[in-house]
């Protein structure tokens, strides 16, 4: 199927999960490029901070993406707000849970599923009629590198991101021959608040780490800023890509799962241990330097 290029700059877009991270960076980037931006998030304070940072027209809506009725109401608001065809719908909101399968808390997994899967489905169903009526525009659904391969202690997250990938891939085929397209985004490690906002009841590996230690380890290994992620995503959409890998780790993991579909984690675990050791050395060096500084 030939690629359908999609101009974003200067055209209206809608973004969920816009209170921070990739969502905020997408809103800021596209606003700078002249796009009217409709932004939504359950975090009203963060959402208002994002809105205050934008230079152009903005529609702000506190929204729980799990609520299908509210998503449809927001789509109606956006339709009434538009003065030009809607260029893109970014279903970007997401959360994570860290737990072994053995110790999983069903309520935590259901919370994640409702946001990561139902939120994407609800957003797609609410806004797709607008794009179909226009016969133009793109649905951009955020999966993850964890929608390409399975990661230990991330079973619920991986399941949700594989679901987003499958849903979006199926939608893409349904839209063949129309002016509307569907894109799946697979970010690797991005410097966002997702780890800090995660549900982690205990160290899933049984190593006795505190929540802060686990968050610090994750953040020490991430490779891409939200601003860079936003640039990659917008460039990929405008080039008509159906699948967008974000960050060097995403490209690496994608290659590994193709070459070693059942043994990729042997390589990943070696890389992870190396990154953890580097992060520990950096933290030790930093502490020693601070200790030698005299006031």
């Amino acid at each position: 199927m030939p690629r359908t290029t999609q101009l974003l700059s200067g055209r209206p877009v809608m973004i969920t999960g816009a209170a921070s991270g990739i969502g905020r960076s997408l809103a800021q980037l596209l606003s700078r490029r002249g796009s009217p931006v409709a932004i939504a998030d359950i975090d009203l304070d963060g959402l208002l901070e994002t809105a205050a940072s934008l230079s152009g027209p903005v529609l702000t809506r506190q929204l729980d993406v799990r609520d299908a009725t509210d998503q449809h109401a927001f789509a109606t608001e956006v339709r009434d707000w538009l003065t030009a065809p809607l260029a893109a719908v970014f279903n970007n909101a997401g959360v994570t849970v860290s737990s072994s399968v053995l110790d999983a808390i069903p309520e935590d997994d259901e919370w994640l599923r409702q946001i990561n899967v139902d939120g994407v489905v609800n957003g797609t169903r609410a806004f797709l009629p607008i794009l179909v009526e226009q016969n133009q525009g793109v649905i951009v659904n955020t999966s993850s590198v964890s929608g390409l391969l399975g990661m230990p202690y991330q079973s619920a997250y991986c399941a949700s991101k594989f679901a987003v990938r499958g849903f979006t891939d199926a939608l893409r085929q349904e839209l063949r021959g129309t002016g509307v397209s569907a894109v799946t985004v697979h970010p690797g490690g991005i410097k966002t608040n997702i780890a800090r906002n995660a549900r982690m009841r205990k160290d899933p590996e049984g190593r006795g780490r505190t929540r802060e230690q686990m968050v610090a380890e994750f953040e020490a290994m991430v490779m891409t800023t939200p601003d860079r992620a936003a640039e990659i995503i917008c460039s990929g959409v405008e080039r008509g890509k159906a699948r967008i890998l974000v960050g060097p780790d995403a490209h690496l993991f994608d290659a590994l799962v193709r070459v070693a579909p059942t043994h990729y984690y042997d390589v990943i675990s070696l890389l992870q241990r190396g990154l953890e050791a580097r992060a520990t050395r950096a933290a030790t060096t930093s502490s020693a330097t601070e200790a030698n500084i005299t006031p």
Side-chain angles (χ1 to χ4, degrees), residues 100 103 153 202-209 214:
S100 68
D103 295 327
Y153 314 113
K202 62 179 182 179
D203 182 349
E205 297 182 45
R207 292 159 52 190
R209 296 169 297 173
M214 288 187 285

Side-chain angles (χ1 to χ4, degrees), residues 52-201:
S53 73
L54 305 181
S55 56
V58 58
L59 174 66
T60 303
R61 175 70 139 78
Q62 186 177 29
L63 176 72
D64 185 342
V65 296
R66 297 174 292 182
D67 188 332
T69 300
D70 209 19
Q71 288 253 37
H72 280 277
F74 182 45
T76 299
E77 290 178 32
V78 171
R79 184 195 293 268
D80 293 341
W81 173 75
L82 292 171
T83 58
L86 184 62
V89 173
F90 292 91
N91 291 307
N92 171 73
V95 295
T96 190
V97 167
S98 183
S99 171
S100 68
V101 173
L102 186 64
D103 295 327
I105 306 297
E107 294 79 8
D108 288 351
D109 286 2
E110 180 63 9
W111 167 76
L112 178 147
R113 186 196 64 78
Q114 289 178 352
I115 294 171
N116 290 8
V117 182
D118 291 353
V120 168
V121 173
N122 292 340
T124 299
R125 289 176 174 168
F127 284 90
L128 185 59
I130 298 175
L131 304 186
V132 170
E133 182 179 320
Q134 301 171 169
N135 197 33
Q136 62 178 288
V138 56
I139 296 283
V140 186
N141 291 337
T142 301
S143 176
S144 168
V145 68
S146 295
L148 300 173
L149 47 74
M151 297 293 285
Y153 314 113
Q154 294 288 315
S155 58
Y157 186 70
C158 289
S160 74
K161 294 305 185 178
F162 268 86
V164 169
R165 173 186 173 186
F167 174 79
T168 310
D169 284 357
L171 174 63
R172 183 179 308 117
Q173 306 314 317
E174 292 181 16
L175 294 171
R176 290 168 65 94
T178 75
V180 183
S181 58
V183 175
T184 313
V185 178
H186 294 281
I190 311 295
K191 297 176 182 178
T192 70
N193 291 327
I194 192 167
R196 294 191 175 276
N197 295 332
R199 291 192 178 182
M200 294 184 284
R201 307 282 181 168

Side-chain angles (χ1 to χ4, degrees), residues 3-4 182-184 235-245 251:
R3 290 184 175 184
T4 302
V183 175
T184 313
S235 174
V237 171
E238 292 192 322
R239 289 161 54 201
K241 297 188 70 173
R243 188 181 72 152
I244 300 171
L245 299 174
H251 286 274

